[in-house]
Amino acid sequence: MKYFIVENNKQEGPFSIYELKDKGITSDVLVWAEGMAEWTPAWKVDELKAFLFDTKNSSVPPPVPPTANKAAATTPQRPAEPVKSPSCLKRLLLAFALLLAVLLVAMAVSCPNEEKHKAVIKEKVTLALEKSAAKNANLFGVGVGMVRHLMEEPIVDEILNDLIDYHNYVIFSSTTINTEGKDRNISYGAFGRVFTMNEDDLSRYIDAQNPFQTQNVTTPDSAAAPGAGQSNSSLQNTIEEEIIGSVGRIVKKQIGERTDSTTTEALEKIIDGVTDMLKQQIVE
């Protein structure tokens, strides 16, 4: 067992009993060891009394020094407890914060740019036009097919640039289109991917615009209506021819506004050829 002692009003130790013997402490020195309630004169401790002092024949203990009360109030300093490690909850919160920071950085780095958004939108519209053109075996399907081929022209990219507004929010991005005075979201982008309209939904919307879904054209009583001698089939052919001509004129106008004269002339010849071919098929 090791003992602390009060020497010159100062706490010293700990010492073994052999070290105390070498120090030659007196019997009235106050000592304290683990398990003792308070400071005690050395002569009252059995282990020290038998080893250090010859008190077998002593009947009167030595006087208590005047500093005993002051020294008794002093307790030995215990070694400081080691600093406890952070709790599991703190470590979990730290790990979550680190993971969130990494996630935000990854989202910012992989945020899709404007070109990515427009490329995906153009791809979805092109697929929708292909599906609608394949499903509608009439003039409407032919017109949709013509629009589909125009999607490959640079003019479409210019139209998209005019119609679509790109917004970058650092960790994600979006595009909007203004219709009826309101901005409507048409795509969202995050983690390098763009999410936009489904081509099947777009195709159904395009099909709903088909003016030739009802094949029979109803007219007033043929005897009283102007052009009564003209059959329903002939009247429908005339309507279809007019529509083809109108579509051709609109397409040529758009091309003329956005291309040089040489390119415009070449494309107009192609459009005229397609228009004549479509009209001939209607007549046949």
Side-chain angles (χ1 to χ4, degrees), residues 13-27:
F15 304 103
S16 67
I17 58 175
Y18 299 101
E19 291 172 331
L20 292 177
K21 185 173 183 179
D22 292 339
K23 287 179 67 67
I25 65 170
T26 61
S27 61

Side-chain angles (χ1 to χ4, degrees), residues 17-70:
I17 58 175
Y18 299 101
E19 291 172 331
L20 292 177
K21 185 173 183 179
D22 292 339
K23 287 179 67 67
I25 65 170
T26 61
S27 61
D28 59 352
V29 170
L30 295 176
V31 299
W32 182 92
E34 188 75 22
M36 296 175 62
E38 57 185 0
W39 290 92
T40 305
W43 66 271
K44 286 189 176 183
V45 179
D46 292 339
E47 183 181 27
L48 298 179
K49 180 173 63 175
F51 188 74
L52 300 177
F53 315 112
D54 185 14
T55 59
K56 294 180 179 179
N57 299 322
S58 299
S59 57
V60 180
V64 177
T67 58
N69 293 334
K70 180 179 178 181

Side-chain angles (χ1 to χ4, degrees), residues 10 14 25 38 41 64 67 78 83 86 96-97 105 108 113-114 126 148 158 165 170 173 208 213 237 251-252 272:
K10 291 183 181 180
I25 65 170
E38 57 185 0
V64 177
T67 58
R78 297 177 181 273
V83 179
F96 177 77
V105 171
N113 58 21
E114 183 175 2
T126 301
R148 157 66 185 87
E158 296 182 24
D165 293 321
V170 182
S173 54
Q213 287 179 339
N237 288 347
V251 172
K252 286 194 289 185
D272 288 338

Side-chain angles (χ1 to χ4, degrees), residues 97-110 170-172 191:
L98 180 62
L99 179 62
L100 180 60
V102 172
L103 179 64
L104 292 176
V105 171
M107 292 180 70
V109 171
S110 62
V170 182
I171 60 175
F172 73 97
F191 294 107

Side-chain angles (χ1 to χ4, degrees), residues 106-121:
M107 292 180 70
V109 171
S110 62
C111 182
N113 58 21
E114 183 175 2
E115 289 71 21
K116 178 71 172 179
H117 275 267
K118 292 178 179 179
V120 173
I121 292 171

Side-chain angles (χ1 to χ4, degrees), residues 43-274:
W43 66 271
K44 286 189 176 183
V45 179
D46 292 339
E47 183 181 27
L48 298 179
K49 180 173 63 175
F51 188 74
L52 300 177
F53 315 112
D54 185 14
T55 59
K56 294 180 179 179
N57 299 322
S58 299
S59 57
V60 180
V64 177
T67 58
N69 293 334
K70 180 179 178 181
T74 306
T75 58
Q77 297 179 355
R78 297 177 181 273
E81 294 184 0
V83 179
K84 295 182 178 180
S85 60
S87 65
C88 293
L89 179 59
K90 289 183 178 179
R91 290 198 296 269
L92 182 62
L93 290 176
L94 181 61
F96 177 77
L98 180 62
L99 179 62
L100 180 60
V102 172
L103 179 64
L104 292 176
V105 171
M107 292 180 70
V109 171
S110 62
C111 182
N113 58 21
E114 183 175 2
E115 289 71 21
K116 178 71 172 179
H117 275 267
K118 292 178 179 179
V120 173
I121 292 171
K122 183 177 178 180
E123 177 187 2
K124 295 295 184 181
V125 172
T126 301
L127 291 174
L129 290 170
E130 288 179 353
K131 291 188 176 186
S132 292
K135 287 186 291 184
N136 294 277
N138 52 26
L139 177 63
F140 179 76
V142 175
V144 171
M146 292 177 63
V147 176
R148 157 66 185 87
H149 289 297
L150 284 176
M151 294 296 291
E152 300 174 359
E153 299 295 330
I155 184 176
V156 174
D157 296 327
E158 296 182 24
I159 293 174
L160 289 177
N161 290 334
D162 292 339
L163 292 178
I164 297 175
D165 293 321
Y166 173 76
H167 311 280
N168 190 325
Y169 301 101
V170 182
I171 60 175
F172 73 97
S173 54
S174 68
T175 59
T176 58
I177 186 171
N178 189 282
T179 58
E180 300 178 355
K182 295 182 180 180
D183 289 332
R184 304 180 187 277
N185 289 311
I186 57 174
S187 68
Y188 294 92
F191 294 107
R193 297 188 61 186
V194 174
F195 306 90
T196 185
M197 305 160 287
N198 182 277
E199 62 267 23
D200 292 327
D201 294 335
L202 278 173
S203 178
R204 283 191 289 270
Y205 174 80
I206 294 171
D207 294 342
Q209 314 308 312
N210 186 354
F212 304 110
Q213 287 179 339
T214 303
Q215 297 297 326
N216 295 324
V217 179
T218 58
T219 61
D221 186 3
S222 60
Q230 189 177 22
S231 66
N232 287 346
S233 177
S234 177
L235 179 60
Q236 182 170 335
N237 288 347
T238 302
I239 294 174
E240 292 180 357
E241 289 177 6
E242 288 295 328
I243 292 174
I244 291 174
S246 298
V247 171
R249 287 191 294 272
I250 292 172
V251 172
K252 286 194 289 185
K253 180 181 178 182
Q254 294 292 327
I255 291 174
E257 292 176 352
R258 299 174 182 270
T259 58
D260 57 69
S261 58
T262 303
T263 304
T264 299
E265 183 178 356
L267 291 175
E268 284 182 350
K269 289 182 179 180
I270 295 174
I271 293 170
D272 288 338
V274 173

